Amino acid sequence: MIKLHDLYFKPFITEREIAAAVERMVQEIAADLGDECPVFVGILNGSFMLVSDFVKKYPKPCEVTFIKLASYEGLKSTDDIQRLIGITQDLTGRTVVILEDIIDSGKTLAEVHRIFKDENVKELKIATLFFKPEAYKKDFKLHYVGIEIPDKFIVGYGLDYNGLGRDLPEVYQLKTTQHMKNLVLFGPPGAGKGTQAEFLKTKYNLVHISTGDVFRFNIKNETALGMLAKSYMDKGELVPDQVTIDMLNAEVEKNTDANGFIFDGFPRTSAQAKALDDLMDTKDSEISAMIALEVDDEILVERLLERGKSSGRADDANEEVIRARIAEYYKKTAILKEYYSAQNKYIGVDGVGSISEITERLSKVIDGL
Ligand code: AMP
């Protein structure tokens, strides 16, 4: 992922894919033009990389020139096309091939046709590396198209966002969801995840999703999901992955405008972690970090028995169930430490101390992400 000015872009078309598309265009055009010596006309600024790569590969003699038009302001193609440099040589009787980096609405192309209307060229052909069929509003024929792309803003390989990005050898696409902070709050039962999540969600304007809370809500309301989950929860066991993953997906979907999420109690297995990565991917986003509250087992048991006196949670009242939950955590969920460490996203935080001390430690970590 890259950031240009205020926006984030994700990798979209690789250098290799671009080179292959340019090569195809070269072959097609060379085959069509035979021994004709064409004049390739690049449309500045965006086409400079394409023109350079294209003519280096072109197998026969050719001429190269440029015209300079400007239409983009930020992310929007404006109606007002400015002609900054026009044709500077006589093209009467010549075969001209326009080399465009991208054609979207076709406004620039309309201006190109206006420019060439009185030039008495033998033939005017249009070649474009990228083409957005969904955005194209004109009828001009496009003779050669490198790669068709969806109607999303791209940068790189000559294309810019407010001046930046032209130098990139590959192409990036604007992320539809801008930068979300997605935290996995991790730690054994009783580590204080729920308590800390309450503070952090307000401080960072994030949506807190606790799978345990959602299950308890369903049990209270006697839903089918609640009844199913209860049989596992009462024994301190994990609810099956697919049930939990489907429920989590539904909770995330309810919050389409979120700034980011705090996942609390999820993921607990590597299948859940993988499912969460996939879900974030569909949101054009990713998990920023797994922050783990580290607390000794004996302190956990003590805390949970204490909480059981007032929480009314059946799984907090019994020391055996508490120890089973802690054991379950280490057995099944500690592998998540490896999963996120491998992505360089695991951060351990000392979970022993006063609530505000721990909030402060967590905030420091989040601010540094
Ligand atoms: P918690 O409130 O996070 O301690 O969760 C209480 C119980 O809900 C757990 O012991 C599990 O039975 C169930 N549960 C919560 N989250 C998950 C999850 N991600 N996967 C499977 N079971 C879960």
Side-chain angles (χ1 to χ4, degrees):
M1 198 170 61
I2 56 162
K3 188 178 185 207
L4 300 176
H5 298 295
D6 54 329
L7 295 181
Y8 291 86
F9 296 82
K10 61 181 178 180
F12 180 43
I13 302 172
T14 63
E15 250 186 290
R16 187 193 280 237
E17 288 166 328
I18 295 169
V22 173
E23 181 67 43
R24 275 196 305 275
M25 290 168 75
V26 165
Q27 296 306 332
E28 254 184 88
I29 295 173
D32 283 358
L33 299 189
D35 290 329
E36 187 98 36
C37 177
V39 183
F40 290 115
V41 179
I43 312 295
L44 290 174
N45 289 330
S47 74
F48 73 95
M49 276 217 199
L50 168 67
V51 174
S52 167
D53 286 347
F54 183 96
V55 296
K56 275 184 274 181
K57 287 181 174 157
Y58 198 72
K60 303 230 171 98
C62 62
E63 291 179 34
V64 188
T65 186
F66 290 92
I67 56 181
K68 179 162 171 149
L69 304 175
S71 71
Y72 261 93
E73 249 169 51
L75 299 179
K76 281 224 161 5
S77 153
T78 64
D79 277 329
D80 178 26
I81 309 279
Q82 296 180 47
R83 215 180 282 185
L84 303 172
I85 301 174
I87 297 167
T88 50
Q89 72 192 83
D90 182 15
L91 294 172
T92 308
R94 302 297 303 270
T95 293
V96 170
V97 181
I98 300 294
L99 291 180
E100 258 285 36
D101 44 334
I102 186 163
I103 291 181
D104 51 19
S105 71
K107 281 180 213 143
T108 306
L109 188 57
E111 183 65 15
V112 167
H113 277 277
R114 265 194 297 278
I115 291 174
F116 279 88
K117 199 160 60 76
D118 303 321
E119 290 299 315
N120 300 316
V121 298
K122 180 175 166 197
E123 205 177 3
L124 179 68
K125 291 201 164 194
I126 309 297
T128 182
L129 177 58
F130 300 117
F131 174 51
K132 292 181 180 173
E134 294 156 30
Y136 192 55
K137 304 231 167 51
K138 308 282 185 199
D139 296 321
F140 303 113
K141 182 172 166 59
L142 307 181
H143 301 83
Y144 308 99
V145 172
I147 303 175
E148 288 195 1
I149 59 169
D151 188 13
K152 292 209 176 139
F153 190 78
I154 59 171
V155 293
Y157 200 71
L159 293 150
D160 74 314
Y161 166 50
N162 278 349
L164 292 182
R166 292 195 198 280
D167 53 323
L168 301 166
E170 58 285 281
V171 166
Y172 291 77
Q173 190 181 62
L174 180 68
K175 275 163 57 77
T176 42
T177 311
Q178 284 301 303
H179 205 49
M180 290 166 94
K181 223 168 223 175
N182 299 308
L183 309 173
V184 172
L185 203 50
F186 196 57
K193 299 186 297 283
T195 309
Q196 292 301 332
E198 280 305 307
F199 290 107
L200 298 176
K201 75 172 190 193
T202 314
K203 181 161 182 192
Y204 294 99
N205 191 19
L206 303 173
V207 173
H208 172 211
I209 299 179
S210 152
T211 40
D213 283 351
V214 182
F215 282 134
R216 280 183 287 278
F217 177 84
N218 277 277
I219 291 172
K220 199 164 133 217
N221 290 289
E222 299 183 343
T223 67
L225 174 65
M227 293 306 99
L228 174 67
K230 191 174 184 322
S231 57
Y232 296 93
M233 289 171 73
D234 282 351
K235 288 182 275 179
E237 290 171 9
L238 292 187
V239 178
D241 274 342
Q242 204 50 56
V243 175
T244 313
I245 290 166
D246 290 347
M247 181 190 82
L248 191 276
N249 286 358
E251 288 299 311
V252 168
E253 290 308 331
K254 281 184 200 161
N255 294 283
T256 44
D257 298 333
N259 236 347
F261 293 91
I262 300 175
F263 297 104
D264 159 9
F266 189 95
R268 271 173 147 103
T269 64
S270 36
Q272 292 181 10
K274 176 80 184 57
L276 186 57
D277 276 352
D278 292 345
L279 178 65
M280 290 294 105
D281 212 32
T282 66
K283 306 253 155 275
D284 249 358
S285 194
E286 61 186 348
I287 294 297
S288 317
M290 165 182 265
I291 306 179
L293 285 169
E294 293 165 347
V295 183
D296 264 2
D297 287 3
E298 292 315 307
I299 300 178
L300 293 174
V301 175
E302 215 175 282
R303 280 189 191 174
L304 289 170
L305 284 172
E306 192 55 37
R307 181 170 83 183
K309 288 180 193 162
S310 56
S311 71
R313 277 179 59 167
D315 59 351
D316 281 349
N318 179 322
E319 185 167 337
E320 220 171 291
V321 174
I322 290 175
R323 289 199 185 270
R325 283 161 61 203
I326 296 173
E328 180 89 36
Y329 169 79
Y330 286 114
K331 194 170 95 207
K332 283 212 183 135
T333 66
I335 50 162
L336 293 174
K337 181 173 176 176
E338 287 164 35
Y339 185 90
Y340 287 99
S341 296
Q343 298 183 25
N344 250 336
K345 290 180 178 170
Y346 179 89
I347 305 169
V349 172
D350 180 6
V352 183
S354 71
I355 291 175
S356 61
E357 270 166 5
I358 297 166
T359 310
E360 207 169 299
R361 282 177 213 152
L362 291 170
S363 302
K364 225 182 237 162
V365 167
I366 296 168
D367 292 338
L369 287 176

